C-alpha cells in the first residue's frame, strides 16, 4: 500500500473512508495512480461513480497478485476444494453480527499468468465467491504458505505484509499502521482462533490476508423495479410480424418481427430520471425479434424459452440456438436484439470505442444494459399475447396454437445474454 500504482490485493478496506451519510457509514475512495495522462483520466472517469459506493461488490472477484507463477495443484480451484480444511486459500465471514461468523465461504479460483506487449508477465489469482455474499458484511481472504510456486517454493509474505503482521515500530509507514489496525484483532483473531478447529489458520502460516466489506444493495433493484411497474401499467406492446419462413432441421418455422418497447434512454447512452430519481420514459423504440418454432408444435402447443444473444450478436442467433438442441426437445425459442448491438452495431471494436468515448465524455459508464432490461420485460408481455400464434406447419399452420403459455417461461443466455438474465 506504500506504492501508488499497485491496487492488488483488491478489494481491500484500506480503500474505504468514513462517511456517515451512507447506509454502511463508509465510502470507497481509490487513488488515481501517477501514470500516463490518458490512464489517469480513465481512472478518474471510472472513479466518478465508484466514489458513490459504500463498500465492495457482493458478487465481484477478488484479485491477489503473485511474484511467480503458481502451481495449480497447491491451490483450491473449485468451490468444494475451497472448503477443505487444508486449503491454501480461504474466504471467511468475519462479520461479528453474522449467523455464519467465522465460517468459510466457497469460491471458484482462476490462476492467470499473462503479459501485455512490452511488459513483464503478471501472475495473479482471481477468486469469485460461489454464493452471493451478504450486503453490509465483512470478509477476509487468507493465502497460506501452503500455496506453492510452479517450482514448489512456498509463497512468503511481502515486505509490506511482514511489517503489517509484526509489532509496531517507530517511524513505520502510515499505510502499514492502517492495514494492521484493520486486521488486528477483528480478522486475525477470528481466522486463527482455536475455536474454528481445523478451519483455523496458524498465524505463522499466513502469507497474505486482506479484509473487505460489502456495499449496501438496497438501491440496486429500484431502477428495474420502477421500469417494470411502469411497463405493467401500460397496454401490452404493439408488434408487427415482418416475415415467416421455413427453418432448418428441428426448427419448423422462423417468425421475424419488431415490437414497440418503452425507451428510458436520453442522450443515447443514459437512463432518463424524473425529479425523484426514478427512471422516466422518453418514448418508444422499435426492437427486432425472432421466434423459432419447433416441428413439435405440429402436435400441440409447446413451452417457450427466451434466448438472449451475446455481444456482438442479434436476434438472428435465436434460430441458430434453437436448432442446436432446444427445438429438438420441443421448445419454442424467442428473443430480441439487445440495445447495445442495436445502437452501436455488431462490431466489438466499434462497441468498445463508443462505450469508452462516452465514459470519457460524460464521466459515467453508458447504461445501455439497463435499457435492455426494460426491453426484455416488455418482450415478456409481448409473448403473453401470442396464445393464438399458429404458423406450424409452415406456412399457414394447422388451426391449433403453437405456444403453451401456461407452461413456465424459461431463459437461456449466451455470454452477455447470461449476464442480462439476472435482470
Amino acid at each position: 500500500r506504500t506504492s501508488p500504482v499497485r491496487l492488488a490485493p483488491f478489494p481491500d478496506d484500506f480503500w474505504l473512508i468514513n462517511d456517515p451519510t451512507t447506509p454502511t457509514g463508509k465510502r470507497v475512495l481509490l487513488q488515481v495512480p501517477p501514470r500516463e495522462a490518458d490512464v489517469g483520466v480513465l481512472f478518474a472517469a471510472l472513479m466518478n461513480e465508484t466514489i458513490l459506493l459504500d463498500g465492495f461488490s457482493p458478487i465481484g472477484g477478488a484479485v491477489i497478485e503473485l511474484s511467480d507463477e503458481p502451481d495449480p495443484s497447491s491451490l483450491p480451484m473449485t468451490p468444494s476444494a475451497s472448503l477443505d480444511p487444508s486449503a491454501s486459500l480461504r474466504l471467511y465471514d468475519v462479520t461479528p453480527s453474522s449467523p455464519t461468523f467465522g465460517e468459510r465461504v466457497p469460491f471458484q479460483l482462476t490462476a492467470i499468468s499473462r503479459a501485455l506487449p512490452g511488459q513483464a508477465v503478471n501472475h495473479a489469482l482471481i477468486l469469485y465467491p460461489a454464493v452471493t455474499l451478504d450486503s453490509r458484511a465483512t470478509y477476509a481472504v487468507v493465502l497460506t504458505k501452503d500455496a506453492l510456486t510452479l517450482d514448489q517454493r512456498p509463497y512468503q509474505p511481502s515486505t509490506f505484509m511482514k511489517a503489517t503482521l509484526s509489532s509496531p515500530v517507530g517511524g513505520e509507514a502510515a499505510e502499514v499502521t492502517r492495514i494492521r489496525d484493520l486486521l488486528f484483532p477483528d480478522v486475525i483473531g477470528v481466522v486463527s482462533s482455536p475455536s474454528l478447529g481445523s478451519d483455523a489458520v496458524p498465524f505463522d502460516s499466513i502469507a497474505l490476508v486482506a479484509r473487505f466489506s460489502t456495499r449496501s444493495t438496497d438501491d440496486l433493484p429500484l431502477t428495474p423495479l420502477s421500469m417494470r411497474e411502469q411497463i405493467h401499467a401500460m397496454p401490452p406492446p404493439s408488434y408487427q410480424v415482418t416475415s415467416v419462413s421455413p427453418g432448418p432441421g428441428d426448427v419448423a418455422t422462423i417468425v421475424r418481427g419488431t415490437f414497440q418497447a418503452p425507451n428510458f434512454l436520453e442522450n443515447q447512452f443514459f437512463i432518463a430520471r424524473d425529479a425523484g430519481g426514478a427512471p422516466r420514459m422518453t418514448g418508444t423504440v422499435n426492437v427486432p425479434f425472432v421466434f423459432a418454432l419447433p416441428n413439435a408444435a405440429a402436435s400441440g402447443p409447446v413451452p417457450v424459452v427466451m434466448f438472449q444473444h451475446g455481444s456482438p450478436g442479434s436476434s438472428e442467433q435465436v434460430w441458430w440456438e434453437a436448432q442446436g438442441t432446444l427445438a429438438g426437445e420441443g421448445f419454442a425459442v424467442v428473443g430480441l436484439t439487445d440495445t447495445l448491438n442495436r445502437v452501436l452495431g455488431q462490431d466489438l471494436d466499434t462497441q468498445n470505442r463508443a462505450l469508452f468515448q462516452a465514459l470519457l465524455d460524460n464521466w459515467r459508464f453508458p447504461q445501455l444494459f439497463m435499457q435492455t432490461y426494460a426491453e426484455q420485460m416488455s418482450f415478456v408481455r409481448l409473448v403473453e399475447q401470442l396464445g393464438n400464434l399458429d404458423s406450424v406447419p409452415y406456412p399457414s399452420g394447422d388451426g391449433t396454437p403453437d405456444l403453451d403459455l401456461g407452461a413456465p417461461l424459461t431463459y437461456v443466455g449466451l455470454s452477455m445474454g447470461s449476464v442480462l438474465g439476472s435482470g
Side-chain angles (χ1 to χ4, degrees), residues 143-161:
L143 182 71
T144 75
K145 297 173 185 176
D146 292 325
L148 304 175
T149 64
L150 209 53
D151 58 0
Q152 302 303 294
R153 289 176 292 118
Y155 286 102
Q156 300 294 328
S158 66
T159 301
F160 183 92
M161 195 82 251

Side-chain angles (χ1 to χ4, degrees), residues 291-315:
F291 281 32
L293 302 172
N295 293 326
S299 301
V302 296
V304 179
V305 173
M306 181 174 172
F307 171 74
Q308 192 63 55
H309 62 79
S311 192
S314 77
S315 55

Side-chain angles (χ1 to χ4, degrees), residues 27 54 62 70 72 103 145 151 157 164 167 191 196 212 227 234 236 240 261 339 347 355 358 367 384 397 407:
R27 183 163 53 83
D54 60 353
E103 293 184 11
K145 297 173 185 176
D151 58 0
T164 300
S167 300
V191 302
L196 296 186
F212 67 94
M227 288 176 167
M234 301 164 54
Q240 179 181 10
T339 314
D347 177 77
L355 292 172
Q367 299 166 335
E384 291 170 350

